[in-house]
Amino acid sequence: MSAGHTRKPLGGTLWRTLFVVGAGALFSVALGAFIRPDAVSALKAKVRYPLQVIYAELIGFISPGPRYVSYPILVKLKELGVDAGIIIALISSHVLIEPSTSLMEAGFFGYRFPVKRFLVSLILVFLAVMFTKLLVDCFGWRLL
Amino acid sequence: MRRLPSEVRVGIFLLVATGVLAIISPEKVAQSLSENLGMIVKILLLSIVAVLISVAIHYLVPPDFAEAHLRGNRLRYLVYATLLGILTPGPVYAVYPVVLALKNKGVQNPILVSYITGQTIIGPARVPLEVGLFGIDFFAYRVVLAVLLGPLAGLLYILFSKWLPDKV
């Protein structure tokens, strides 16, 4: 394999990734200026935990963009005191199912495939988060 | 006109949204940016490492690696498919040609679901970002979860297929 063959995709991928991650970091920092920690606490107090997980999953599923773009926003949420389970729900569901990939899957395998994948992903992430919550609450395990 | 790559379009959208927020409250946004400059630089540096890992694996793992190891439809292949998915680099769009090739070779849908789940939920390129931003414990836990969730995804797919069978 020639050096040029390696350099071209590396350069393209690197600049595209840095561009989108940089833009994502700027956006999350700008957005963070408007989010008050007391508002996050109030939301956590008002919405019961299993429902918070479902919300986080659905937000993750409909969030667009490549996987790296969500990290700056997740860091901001972590700083605001959002727990490990919700971070796991957002990080996992962001890539497991996307509207665009669902359409692609429906085209390749028929509509039943993405319907079942959506249900499977919803259950899987929910179980993962509840298991994490159990570890953190009952055994005092600090993940973040 | 050539269409911009999806990452670039998302990046432009995020920059425009940042601009709108800066217009709404310039002082708040400027203060937040100056306070978080270190985090932005850290994320960009970790992203460079992530891309390097991803590109290295792209050249080290042959394109037909998954295909060669998933011919057959035994239940234990749900585990193999998950592990192969975890090792497969690249964005999810890049993996669909592999999934389609596997499907055409007779690999059943539950195994494909485990493969897609493993590929999307975690990957080698996430190591620097997740370890750097959330710590080694968090990443290790996510790896364990991924190894468990991939086969479970295949099993749940089999269960749901009793209610909504795949089109023959």
Side-chain angles (χ1 to χ4, degrees), chain B residues 10-146:
Chain B
V10 171
I12 290 170
F13 171 77
L14 289 168
L15 287 178
V16 171
T18 308
V20 171
L21 293 175
I23 290 168
I24 294 170
S25 182
E27 299 85 16
K28 272 187 184 176
V29 171
Q31 190 191 346
S32 184
L33 281 174
S34 69
E35 283 171 2
N36 290 287
L37 202 62
M39 184 193 75
I40 295 173
V41 172
K42 185 178 178 184
I43 287 173
L44 290 175
L45 291 174
L46 291 169
S47 302
I48 293 173
V49 180
V51 171
L52 290 176
I53 291 173
S54 181
V55 171
I57 289 177
H58 175 77
Y59 282 100
L60 290 172
V61 179
D64 59 348
F65 189 73
E67 218 176 288
H69 290 82
L70 291 179
R71 286 188 194 134
N73 283 308
R74 297 194 181 117
L75 214 55
R76 69 165 188 266
Y77 281 25
L78 297 177
V79 181
Y80 296 169
T82 303
L83 296 175
L84 286 170
I86 289 171
L87 290 172
T88 307
V92 71
Y93 297 102
V95 97
Y96 277 99
V98 178
V99 173
L100 205 58
L102 291 170
K103 173 81 180 164
N104 291 337
K105 289 192 185 291
V107 174
Q108 287 181 357
N109 285 351
I111 294 172
L112 298 179
V113 168
S114 290
Y115 180 73
I116 296 171
T117 303
Q119 203 276 340
T120 50
I121 210 161
I122 200 119
R126 285 181 185 257
V127 178
L129 279 161
E130 293 198 13
V131 172
L133 299 174
F134 301 115
I136 185 85
D137 286 357
F138 182 82
F139 182 73
Y141 179 65
R142 287 241 309 127
V143 172
V144 173
L145 275 185

Side-chain angles (χ1 to χ4, degrees), chain A residues 94-109:
Chain A
H94 177 223
V95 287
L96 264 174
I97 291 267
E98 283 178 38
S100 56
T101 55
S102 294
L103 290 172
M104 203 156 69
E105 287 178 8
F108 286 149
F109 309 115

Side-chain angles (χ1 to χ4, degrees), chain A residues 5-23:
Chain A
H5 181 71
T6 313
R7 214 177 296 129
K8 199 178 172 189
L10 172 63
T13 309
L14 186 61
W15 289 119
R16 280 201 305 271
T17 305
L18 288 181
F19 178 67
V20 73
V21 172

